[in-house]
Amino acid sequence: MTDVFGQSHKDSHEQVVFCADRQSGLRAIIAIYNTALGPALGGTRFYPYESEQAALADVLNLSKGMAYKNALAGLDLGGGKAVIIGDPTKDKNEALLRAYGRFVESLGGRYYTACDVGTFSEDMDLVARESRYVTGRTPAHGGAGDSSILTAFGVFQGMRASAAHLYGTSSLSGKRVGVEGVGKVGHRLVDHLIDDGAEVVVCDVSPAAVERVRQRHPSVEVVADARAMTGSDIDVYAPCALGGALDDDTVERLRAKIVCGGANNQLAHVGVEKQLADRGILYAPDYVVNSGGVIQVADEIEGFNMDRARAKATQIFDTTLKIFGIAAEEGVPPAVAADRLAERRMSEVGRIRGIWLGG
């Protein structure tokens, strides 16, 4: 039997909701890590998990990560996430998404949902037909649309901050940057880098994705795979594909002095952050630099304004520099410094939210 309370209480989750609708085939889990800063916000992942246990483990981990991401993005939002168990190419349908929306609505605003792996803005439009607590909608319905726009912009700001810390200049001009994964976020990051004068090397499991970048930027160099990239002579490594890109073998082989990319959960296991620091490699924590997307969808709650959201995402530069400063001062890796800063904000603001207002 799955020890649900044991798993959820291990990281002090506030609430875990299991959602099922037999007729539409909906099987979903919504996890709220905390609401210290405000209602929880996090995307809905639609994925064919091998078991309900695997889905539960994923949603608990992802919701905790969203709490830290939202905290350091300066948002008055807590951390939550949802997973729908199934193959989105086969199992997704209107009834299922609307049934899911009913469950989101039943939480009364404790959780705002958005897009994630396997879901898109058009799906959120359907969910929103049953719930008020939906972001990441299409522009036709007042939404922010493709959140990869500000995700890539934020990663670029984090990379600029990394360069400023290490080289004394925020420009990537003349630096050789390896971008692993040139999908939704990666190809936009390449645009920013080329505009800034960087030399760019790319790889992707999709030849079509690589060709799209080469058509737009013929000067971009292509290597066979991530192993070839990390072992090559690059100044910056930007993992923008799957999580777990930084394992023991990769860190040992890596020749870059900066790691800053858009992928989630880049550290394969606890301790990799120290290995990077011991090798003199500056790691920009992933959930800090890739927070532009959540900033973009969170802005919808007030009524979306791209200029306002972009200005907020620009602050990723300053936040990243602050984390590097704390890491140096306290003698810890940047990933540890980022966690401490996020926990401090959740604690301090959460305490203020406890002040009684009467009534």
Side-chain angles (χ1 to χ4, degrees):
M1 181 177 177
T2 300
D3 183 8
V4 175
F5 284 98
Q7 288 191 60
S8 61
H9 286 185
K10 180 176 66 177
D11 285 323
S12 302
H13 283 74
E14 288 183 12
Q15 188 174 9
V16 180
V17 181
F18 293 82
C19 317
D21 178 62
R22 186 184 299 271
Q23 283 189 293
S24 68
L26 174 70
R27 289 187 301 152
I29 309 172
I30 302 171
I32 296 174
Y33 179 70
N34 74 34
T35 53
L37 298 177
L41 169 66
T44 297
R45 180 166 295 189
F46 204 133
Y47 190 78
Y49 293 96
E50 61 184 24
S51 67
E52 293 176 359
Q53 180 97 13
L56 176 61
D58 199 30
V59 77
L60 293 176
N61 182 50
L62 291 167
S63 57
K64 180 180 180 180
M66 286 305 304
Y68 283 69
K69 179 181 290 192
N70 292 342
L72 287 190
L75 301 173
D76 289 335
L77 293 165
K81 203 78 174 187
V83 296
I84 297 175
I85 302 171
D87 184 341
T89 65
K90 299 177 181 177
D91 302 324
K92 189 191 298 182
N93 59 70
E94 178 185 353
L96 181 148
L97 292 171
R98 293 182 69 160
Y100 169 65
R102 300 290 289 183
F103 284 102
V104 173
E105 181 68 17
S106 75
L107 293 173
R110 281 178 53 77
Y111 169 65
Y112 279 82
T113 196
C115 306
D116 197 77
V117 174
T119 59
F120 302 90
S121 294
E122 292 78 8
D123 298 325
M124 292 304 108
D125 287 343
L126 285 173
V127 175
R129 290 171 72 172
E130 302 296 337
S131 177
R132 294 162 287 175
Y133 309 110
V134 181
T135 64
R137 299 186 65 187
T138 62
H141 287 87
D146 186 357
S147 63
S148 68
I149 295 171
L150 288 191
T151 303
F153 177 73
V155 172
F156 180 60
Q157 297 309 311
M159 199 177 291
R160 290 179 61 244
S162 302
H165 181 81
L166 194 63
Y167 302 123
T169 174
S170 61
S171 174
L172 277 303
S173 179
K175 301 301 180 186
R176 190 170 169 81
V177 182
V179 180
E180 178 195 348
V182 285
K184 288 199 294 186
V185 173
H187 88 272
R188 295 184 188 278
L189 178 59
V190 171
D191 290 343
H192 291 299
L193 291 167
I194 294 294
D195 288 345
D196 199 38
E199 299 176 17
V200 179
V201 183
V202 303
C203 67
D204 197 293
V205 294
S206 167
V210 171
E211 183 58 27
R212 176 175 61 174
V213 171
R214 287 297 306 276
Q215 287 286 336
R216 187 171 174 83
H217 304 292
S219 65
V220 166
E221 181 183 335
V222 180
V223 293
D225 51 31
R227 185 175 183 85
M229 175 178 288
T230 52
S232 66
D233 188 19
I234 55 176
D235 299 298
V236 183
Y237 171 47
C240 294
L242 298 176
L246 296 164
D247 56 18
D248 297 344
D249 181 56
T250 299
V251 173
E252 184 64 31
R253 187 173 62 253
L254 193 60
R255 299 174 68 181
K257 289 300 180 185
I258 293 172
V259 174
C260 178
N264 287 310
N265 303 319
Q266 292 171 23
L267 305 180
H269 59 79
V270 175
V272 174
E273 71 283 354
K274 186 177 185 304
Q275 294 175 35
L276 288 164
D278 288 346
R279 289 208 57 218
I281 299 170
L282 183 67
Y283 171 64
D286 49 36
Y287 71 79
V288 177
V289 302
N290 70 15
S291 63
V294 74
I295 289 171
Q296 183 171 330
V297 298
D299 194 79
E300 284 183 38
I301 297 172
E302 293 184 56
F304 184 63
N305 181 288
M306 178 57 94
D307 291 338
R308 181 176 61 202
R310 188 180 181 89
K312 185 78 171 174
T314 301
Q315 296 173 14
I316 291 172
F317 178 92
D318 294 325
T319 302
T320 307
L321 275 182
K322 183 176 183 178
I323 287 165
F324 292 151
I326 293 172
E329 182 180 333
E330 298 184 1
V332 297
V336 175
D339 284 355
R340 289 179 181 177
L341 187 60
E343 289 162 1
R344 189 181 311 158
R345 182 167 185 256
M346 285 187 276
S347 175
E348 291 175 353
V349 177
R351 181 193 63 78
I352 292 169
R353 290 283 175 99
I355 297 174
W356 186 58
L357 299 178

